[in-house]
Amino acid sequence: MRGPGVREWLRTVMLPSLTRRVLLGFGVVMLVAWLGLLGLEVYMLRVAGWHASAVSNRYETEQLLVLLQERGHADGLPALMEGQERLRKKRWAEQGDWPPKLSLQIWHRERLVYQGPDVPNAELLDGWVRHETAAGDWRLRSDLQIWGIWFLSMDGLSFFARPLLYSLPFLLFPAWFLLRRGLAPLRRLSREIQRRDSHQLQPLGESPYAELRPLVVALNRLMARLQLRLQREREFLQDAAHELKTPLAVVEANVEIVEGAALSPVQRLALEQLRLGVRRSSHMVGQLLALARSQGERETLELRESDLVTLLCDRIALLDALARRRRISLALEAPERCPLRMHRESLARLVDNLLDNAIKYSPEGSSVLLRLTLDEKGLPRLEVLDQGPGIAADLRPQVFERFFRLPGQEQSGSGLGLAIVEQAAAQNGARVALQDGPQGRGLCAVVSWA
């Protein structure tokens, strides 16, 4: 059970989301703003770093120049510079800073006597030098980049990244919460539509929100078109059924007249087939009228309290003659009384169609059971059990469609019985389902009230 649930949750999560889309937009705007501020800060830091590095560069070279003047010669200069570099790095480390790289050239009497390891090329270009100082026979050319070293250090990177990392949860969570609150009317509208069944086509209430008004107006127009189409369909069914009733009654009356005449065996057989055809057509016309009535009665239906057990007994007595012709016994298991608010005519159609189907598809000499029980809430549950061939599980949803007939079905029928049953159940606040019979034999039609 967990597998399909997890897959359904993942499928839902992977669907495009307006909330995620808006939050992503907020995140992109924040990132762009942060990059803009970062660029401005880097620019300002670079300007400040140039000034700081110029001051530090001048200090470093002047101290070194004093040392070189005291030395007076260029012998052993690399060893001296190596020691000075160690002292410089130690001094920066004691201050808690990263020691910046010092690019340095030392000239003695216009001769290059030392070039530091951080000089970009052998020929020092003027565009590279940011400080040059000279005294006596010595001339120093140097460049010290403080801002770049700090910016690329962990302290520099964290200084710029911290505002973005700190602000994201504090800005995105309120944005998500406000979006959830802001989209609540849309979710309420969705739940209201979902609670309706296919027959509740009344207009939705006007939304007070400007963004939802076009959606509500479009849905109301769609439901009005559907309601008009259903009304025309009901009128067509009623007109067609009424038009067919009169000629069928005339044919049936003529069959009864001809039946009294002297007929040969072949004519007698043809007359019997004609009678069966007229009876079948009359039954279909009655089903069409019942379906049209059940579709049109839904809005004006009035439920009144009545005894469900009495209704079941009446319907069994009415269909007992049909069951006897096929040597099928009808049985009822029910409490003495079961008061229920119902529309008696439509509920009678429901029981009649379920019993008629059970009798029709059960083998001769079998039995059909009506079982009425009460659940823990005191609500009735009606079961009609037969011993027929049953209906395959994958075909059960389709049998409630109008004019649907099971493949290979030999019994006559109009394909409207279960459609009428479903309509009648909905009119009485119930739902109908088809299940396997006991021990997997036959069919169990269940009508339950919630």
Side-chain angles (χ1 to χ4, degrees):
M1 293 294 292
R2 295 179 60 187
V6 172
R7 286 194 296 271
E8 185 64 27
W9 177 81
L10 288 175
R11 191 180 300 113
T12 303
V13 169
M14 293 303 293
L15 287 174
S17 169
L18 291 177
T19 302
R20 287 200 299 269
R21 185 175 180 178
V22 174
L23 288 178
L24 180 62
F26 284 159
V28 170
V29 170
M30 290 175 59
L31 180 61
V32 171
W34 177 78
L35 289 175
L37 292 174
L38 177 62
L40 179 61
E41 188 68 23
V42 168
Y43 174 76
M44 299 299 294
L45 181 61
R46 184 169 184 176
V47 172
W50 279 343
H51 293 291
S53 62
V55 173
S56 182
N57 196 6
R58 185 179 302 108
Y59 173 79
E60 295 278 358
T61 54
E62 288 177 354
Q63 292 292 322
L64 186 57
L65 186 60
V66 171
L67 180 64
L68 292 174
Q69 285 179 326
E70 292 176 354
R71 183 181 180 88
H73 59 84
D75 297 337
L77 193 58
L80 176 64
M81 295 307 302
E82 186 176 343
Q84 289 296 318
E85 181 67 16
R86 284 197 299 269
L87 289 174
R88 188 178 70 85
K89 290 182 177 180
K90 181 179 179 182
R91 186 168 63 251
W92 279 91
E94 289 174 351
Q95 297 175 4
D97 294 326
W98 288 84
K101 294 180 180 181
L102 177 63
S103 300
L104 179 67
Q105 281 184 338
I106 301 177
W107 298 73
H108 186 248
R109 297 175 182 173
E110 300 304 323
R111 182 172 64 89
L112 180 64
V113 295
Y114 175 78
Q115 181 164 279
D118 297 323
V119 177
N121 46 44
E123 296 295 332
L124 190 59
L125 302 177
D126 291 339
W128 174 90
V129 176
R130 289 203 291 130
H131 181 68
E132 183 173 353
T133 182
D137 296 336
W138 298 94
R139 182 161 54 91
L140 279 67
R141 307 176 76 178
S142 62
D143 186 13
L144 187 70
Q145 292 285 347
I146 294 178
W147 75 275
I149 295 298
W150 180 85
F151 177 72
L152 295 176
S153 68
M154 291 301 296
D155 290 338
L157 292 175
S158 63
F159 175 81
F160 290 105
R162 277 197 302 268
L164 180 65
L165 296 178
Y166 292 162
S167 63
L168 274 176
F170 291 104
L171 290 178
L172 290 183
F173 179 76
W176 171 83
F177 177 76
L178 292 174
L179 278 173
R180 292 278 300 176
R181 295 280 297 178
L183 293 177
L186 182 61
R187 290 194 295 273
R188 286 196 296 269
L189 178 64
S190 175
R191 287 194 296 269
E192 181 183 352
I193 296 173
Q194 193 173 7
R195 283 195 296 265
R196 296 188 174 197
D197 59 25
S198 59
H199 300 281
Q200 290 180 304
L201 298 176
Q202 299 87 355
L204 297 168
E206 184 178 354
S207 175
Y209 302 98
E211 293 81 4
L212 291 181
R213 282 189 178 182
L215 177 61
V216 172
V217 170
L219 286 173
N220 286 340
R221 289 176 179 172
L222 175 61
M223 287 190 288
R225 291 195 297 269
L226 288 175
Q227 199 165 20
L228 180 60
R229 180 176 178 180
L230 290 175
Q231 178 63 30
R232 290 175 178 173
E233 186 177 328
R234 284 195 296 267
E235 292 174 355
F236 170 76
L237 286 177
Q238 290 174 340
D239 293 343
H242 280 293
E243 289 295 327
L244 288 172
K245 280 183 69 175
T246 301
L248 286 174
V250 172
V251 173
E252 191 171 6
N254 289 326
V255 167
E256 292 177 357
I257 294 173
V258 175
E259 196 172 24
L263 301 174
S264 65
V266 175
Q267 292 172 330
R268 184 69 60 182
L269 179 61
L271 184 62
E272 184 63 26
Q273 294 295 326
L274 179 60
R275 183 187 298 108
L276 290 175
V278 171
R279 187 180 303 158
R280 217 177 281 131
S281 299
S282 299
H283 177 72
M284 178 178 289
V285 168
Q287 295 283 65
L288 285 172
L289 285 173
L291 182 63
R293 280 198 302 271
S294 65
Q295 291 176 339
E297 289 171 347
R298 187 170 180 83
E299 290 77 14
T300 59
L301 204 62
E302 182 180 357
L303 302 181
R304 296 181 180 179
E305 186 168 311
S306 186
D307 183 23
L308 181 56
V309 177
T310 302
L311 174 67
L312 295 178
C313 292
D314 292 342
R315 308 326 292 177
I316 290 175
L318 185 66
L319 292 171
D320 184 62
L322 176 62
R324 288 179 181 276
R325 282 201 296 268
R326 304 198 66 233
R327 296 186 296 111
I328 293 175
S329 62
L330 298 179
L332 174 64
E333 293 181 6
E336 291 186 3
R337 281 183 53 80
C338 180
L340 178 69
R341 287 181 57 82
M342 68 175 75
H343 181 251
R344 190 176 179 86
E345 183 181 351
S346 62
L347 199 57
R349 289 199 297 267
L350 180 148
V351 177
D352 288 347
N353 279 279
L354 288 180
L355 275 178
D356 182 71
N357 283 343
I359 294 171
K360 184 188 298 181
Y361 294 107
S362 293
E364 291 190 7
S366 62
S367 62
V368 172
L369 172 64
L370 273 77
R371 180 188 296 149
L372 179 63
T373 56
L374 301 178
D375 62 11
E376 61 276 4
K377 297 181 181 179
L379 297 173
R381 173 187 171 94
L382 176 63
E383 299 177 351
V384 180
L385 300 98
D386 62 43
Q387 298 177 3
I391 300 175
D394 58 334
L395 293 177
R396 289 171 189 171
Q398 300 179 51
V399 297
F400 292 100
E401 299 175 3
R402 289 174 298 175
F403 305 109
F404 178 81
R405 298 275 292 158
L406 290 173
Q409 185 58 252
E410 297 180 357
Q411 294 286 348
S412 62
S414 60
L416 295 173
L418 288 177
I420 295 173
V421 167
E422 187 178 42
Q423 292 276 357
Q427 289 172 342
N428 287 272
R431 60 179 182 271
V432 60
L434 302 179
Q435 302 174 359
D436 291 329
Q439 290 82 43
R441 182 185 178 189
L443 184 70
C444 176
V446 180
V447 182
S448 54
W449 279 260

mmCIF file of all heavy atoms in Angstrom, residues 77-96:
data_model
loop_
_atom_site.group_PDB
_atom_site.id
_atom_site.type_symbol
_atom_site.label_atom_id
_atom_site.label_comp_id
_atom_site.label_asym_id
_atom_site.label_seq_id
_atom_site.Cartn_x
_atom_site.Cartn_y
_atom_site.Cartn_z
ATOM 1 N N LEU A 77 72.365 39.476 -1.539
ATOM 2 C CA LEU A 77 71.045 40.104 -1.485
ATOM 3 C C LEU A 77 69.889 39.084 -1.439
ATOM 4 O O LEU A 77 68.927 39.290 -0.701
ATOM 5 C CB LEU A 77 70.880 41.064 -2.670
ATOM 6 C CG LEU A 77 69.695 42.024 -2.587
ATOM 7 C CD1 LEU A 77 69.777 42.881 -1.332
ATOM 8 C CD2 LEU A 77 69.633 42.904 -3.829
ATOM 9 N N PRO A 78 69.912 37.962 -2.192
ATOM 10 C CA PRO A 78 68.793 37.003 -2.107
ATOM 11 C C PRO A 78 68.565 36.465 -0.698
ATOM 12 O O PRO A 78 67.420 36.351 -0.253
ATOM 13 C CB PRO A 78 69.209 35.902 -3.074
ATOM 14 C CG PRO A 78 70.084 36.585 -4.065
ATOM 15 C CD PRO A 78 70.860 37.614 -3.263
ATOM 16 N N ALA A 79 69.656 36.144 0.019
ATOM 17 C CA ALA A 79 69.491 35.635 1.386
ATOM 18 C C ALA A 79 68.892 36.703 2.285
ATOM 19 O O ALA A 79 68.025 36.426 3.138
ATOM 20 C CB ALA A 79 70.842 35.170 1.939
ATOM 21 N N LEU A 80 69.349 37.942 2.116
ATOM 22 C CA LEU A 80 68.797 39.028 2.908
ATOM 23 C C LEU A 80 67.314 39.213 2.637
ATOM 24 O O LEU A 80 66.510 39.380 3.570
ATOM 25 C CB LEU A 80 69.555 40.328 2.593
ATOM 26 C CG LEU A 80 69.022 41.592 3.276
ATOM 27 C CD1 LEU A 80 69.175 41.492 4.785
ATOM 28 C CD2 LEU A 80 69.711 42.841 2.731
ATOM 29 N N MET A 81 66.899 39.160 1.380
ATOM 30 C CA MET A 81 65.493 39.350 1.026
ATOM 31 C C MET A 81 64.616 38.195 1.521
ATOM 32 O O MET A 81 63.459 38.396 1.890
ATOM 33 C CB MET A 81 65.350 39.522 -0.490
ATOM 34 C CG MET A 81 66.027 40.782 -1.024
ATOM 35 S SD MET A 81 65.504 42.269 -0.156
ATOM 36 C CE MET A 81 63.758 42.238 -0.430
ATOM 37 N N GLU A 82 65.192 37.002 1.530
ATOM 38 C CA GLU A 82 64.429 35.855 2.044
ATOM 39 C C GLU A 82 64.130 36.035 3.526
ATOM 40 O O GLU A 82 63.033 35.766 3.995
ATOM 41 C CB GLU A 82 65.225 34.580 1.804
ATOM 42 C CG GLU A 82 64.466 33.320 2.173
ATOM 43 C CD GLU A 82 65.245 32.063 1.828
ATOM 44 O OE1 GLU A 82 66.212 32.142 1.034
ATOM 45 O OE2 GLU A 82 64.882 30.987 2.358
ATOM 46 N N GLY A 83 65.124 36.513 4.269
ATOM 47 C CA GLY A 83 64.887 36.768 5.687
ATOM 48 C C GLY A 83 63.886 37.881 5.903
ATOM 49 O O GLY A 83 63.031 37.806 6.797
ATOM 50 N N GLN A 84 63.953 38.932 5.115
ATOM 51 C CA GLN A 84 62.996 40.019 5.228
ATOM 52 C C GLN A 84 61.568 39.572 4.900
ATOM 53 O O GLN A 84 60.603 40.025 5.530
ATOM 54 C CB GLN A 84 63.425 41.170 4.294
ATOM 55 C CG GLN A 84 64.667 41.914 4.751
ATOM 56 C CD GLN A 84 64.456 42.619 6.077
ATOM 57 O OE1 GLN A 84 63.412 43.224 6.321
ATOM 58 N NE2 GLN A 84 65.452 42.518 6.957
ATOM 59 N N GLU A 85 61.445 38.647 3.920
ATOM 60 C CA GLU A 85 60.105 38.147 3.565
ATOM 61 C C GLU A 85 59.490 37.349 4.701
ATOM 62 O O GLU A 85 58.295 37.453 4.979
ATOM 63 C CB GLU A 85 60.212 37.298 2.292
ATOM 64 C CG GLU A 85 58.894 36.750 1.799
ATOM 65 C CD GLU A 85 57.945 37.838 1.309
ATOM 66 O OE1 GLU A 85 58.409 38.987 1.058
ATOM 67 O OE2 GLU A 85 56.735 37.541 1.186
ATOM 68 N N ARG A 86 60.355 36.570 5.398
ATOM 69 C CA ARG A 86 59.853 35.818 6.550
ATOM 70 C C ARG A 86 59.389 36.766 7.652
ATOM 71 O O ARG A 86 58.342 36.545 8.278
ATOM 72 C CB ARG A 86 60.936 34.873 7.071
ATOM 73 C CG ARG A 86 61.140 33.636 6.213
ATOM 74 C CD ARG A 86 61.897 32.568 6.982
ATOM 75 N NE ARG A 86 63.232 33.027 7.377
ATOM 76 C CZ ARG A 86 64.322 32.865 6.650
ATOM 77 N NH1 ARG A 86 64.241 32.243 5.467
ATOM 78 N NH2 ARG A 86 65.502 33.293 7.085
ATOM 79 N N LEU A 87 60.171 37.810 7.885
ATOM 80 C CA LEU A 87 59.765 38.786 8.913
ATOM 81 C C LEU A 87 58.456 39.482 8.522
ATOM 82 O O LEU A 87 57.598 39.748 9.369
ATOM 83 C CB LEU A 87 60.886 39.815 9.108
ATOM 84 C CG LEU A 87 62.167 39.312 9.798
ATOM 85 C CD1 LEU A 87 63.235 40.394 9.800
ATOM 86 C CD2 LEU A 87 61.859 38.851 11.214
ATOM 87 N N ARG A 88 58.325 39.814 7.253
ATOM 88 C CA ARG A 88 57.105 40.494 6.799
ATOM 89 C C ARG A 88 55.879 39.603 6.988
ATOM 90 O O ARG A 88 54.836 40.062 7.469
ATOM 91 C CB ARG A 88 57.256 40.891 5.324
ATOM 92 C CG ARG A 88 56.133 41.761 4.793
ATOM 93 C CD ARG A 88 56.392 42.139 3.352
ATOM 94 N NE ARG A 88 56.247 40.987 2.471
ATOM 95 C CZ ARG A 88 55.072 40.579 1.961
ATOM 96 N NH1 ARG A 88 53.961 41.231 2.271
ATOM 97 N NH2 ARG A 88 55.037 39.554 1.165
ATOM 98 N N LYS A 89 55.995 38.341 6.597
ATOM 99 C CA LYS A 89 54.860 37.410 6.758
ATOM 100 C C LYS A 89 54.516 37.209 8.224
ATOM 101 O O LYS A 89 53.333 37.105 8.589
ATOM 102 C CB LYS A 89 55.193 36.080 6.099
ATOM 103 C CG LYS A 89 55.243 36.149 4.579
ATOM 104 C CD LYS A 89 55.524 34.784 3.974
ATOM 105 C CE LYS A 89 55.504 34.872 2.448
ATOM 106 N NZ LYS A 89 55.781 33.552 1.820
ATOM 107 N N LYS A 90 55.547 37.154 9.091
ATOM 108 C CA LYS A 90 55.297 36.988 10.519
ATOM 109 C C LYS A 90 54.545 38.195 11.077
ATOM 110 O O LYS A 90 53.625 38.067 11.881
ATOM 111 C CB LYS A 90 56.632 36.796 11.238
ATOM 112 C CG LYS A 90 56.481 36.583 12.733
ATOM 113 C CD LYS A 90 57.833 36.373 13.384
ATOM 114 C CE LYS A 90 57.673 36.188 14.904
ATOM 115 N NZ LYS A 90 58.995 36.029 15.573
ATOM 116 N N ARG A 91 54.935 39.396 10.624
ATOM 117 C CA ARG A 91 54.272 40.604 11.097
ATOM 118 C C ARG A 91 52.798 40.633 10.683
ATOM 119 O O ARG A 91 51.925 40.996 11.476
ATOM 120 C CB ARG A 91 55.020 41.822 10.548
ATOM 121 C CG ARG A 91 54.507 43.138 11.101
ATOM 122 C CD ARG A 91 55.444 44.297 10.766
ATOM 123 N NE ARG A 91 55.535 44.517 9.330
ATOM 124 C CZ ARG A 91 56.609 44.235 8.610
ATOM 125 N NH1 ARG A 91 57.683 43.685 9.173
ATOM 126 N NH2 ARG A 91 56.632 44.466 7.307
ATOM 127 N N TRP A 92 52.504 40.250 9.448
ATOM 128 C CA TRP A 92 51.104 40.209 8.988
ATOM 129 C C TRP A 92 50.316 39.138 9.741
ATOM 130 O O TRP A 92 49.152 39.344 10.081
ATOM 131 C CB TRP A 92 51.052 39.940 7.481
ATOM 132 C CG TRP A 92 51.291 41.158 6.652
ATOM 133 C CD1 TRP A 92 52.478 41.615 6.172
ATOM 134 C CD2 TRP A 92 50.303 42.090 6.209
ATOM 135 N NE1 TRP A 92 52.332 42.765 5.457
ATOM 136 C CE2 TRP A 92 50.979 43.084 5.456
ATOM 137 C CE3 TRP A 92 48.917 42.198 6.365
ATOM 138 C CZ2 TRP A 92 50.324 44.157 4.868
ATOM 139 C CZ3 TRP A 92 48.269 43.264 5.786
ATOM 140 C CH2 TRP A 92 48.960 44.230 5.057
ATOM 141 N N ALA A 93 50.959 38.000 10.006
ATOM 142 C CA ALA A 93 50.267 36.923 10.724
ATOM 143 C C ALA A 93 49.939 37.328 12.145
ATOM 144 O O ALA A 93 48.888 36.962 12.692
ATOM 145 C CB ALA A 93 51.126 35.647 10.702
ATOM 146 N N GLU A 94 50.833 38.060 12.797
ATOM 147 C CA GLU A 94 50.558 38.526 14.162
ATOM 148 C C GLU A 94 49.365 39.473 14.199
ATOM 149 O O GLU A 94 48.687 39.575 15.220
ATOM 150 C CB GLU A 94 51.810 39.216 14.715
ATOM 151 C CG GLU A 94 52.948 38.252 15.022
ATOM 152 C CD GLU A 94 54.220 38.983 15.431
ATOM 153 O OE1 GLU A 94 54.228 40.240 15.306
ATOM 154 O OE2 GLU A 94 55.195 38.316 15.853
ATOM 155 N N GLN A 95 49.107 40.144 13.105
ATOM 156 C CA GLN A 95 47.944 41.041 13.028
ATOM 157 C C GLN A 95 46.654 40.292 12.679
ATOM 158 O O GLN A 95 45.579 40.889 12.639
ATOM 159 C CB GLN A 95 48.196 42.123 11.975
ATOM 160 C CG GLN A 95 49.362 43.037 12.315
ATOM 161 C CD GLN A 95 49.673 44.023 11.209
ATOM 162 O OE1 GLN A 95 48.963 44.074 10.204
ATOM 163 N NE2 GLN A 95 50.726 44.809 11.388
ATOM 164 N N GLY A 96 46.791 38.985 12.424
ATOM 165 C CA GLY A 96 45.610 38.177 12.093
ATOM 166 C C GLY A 96 45.187 38.298 10.649
ATOM 167 O O GLY A 96 44.039 37.975 10.315
#
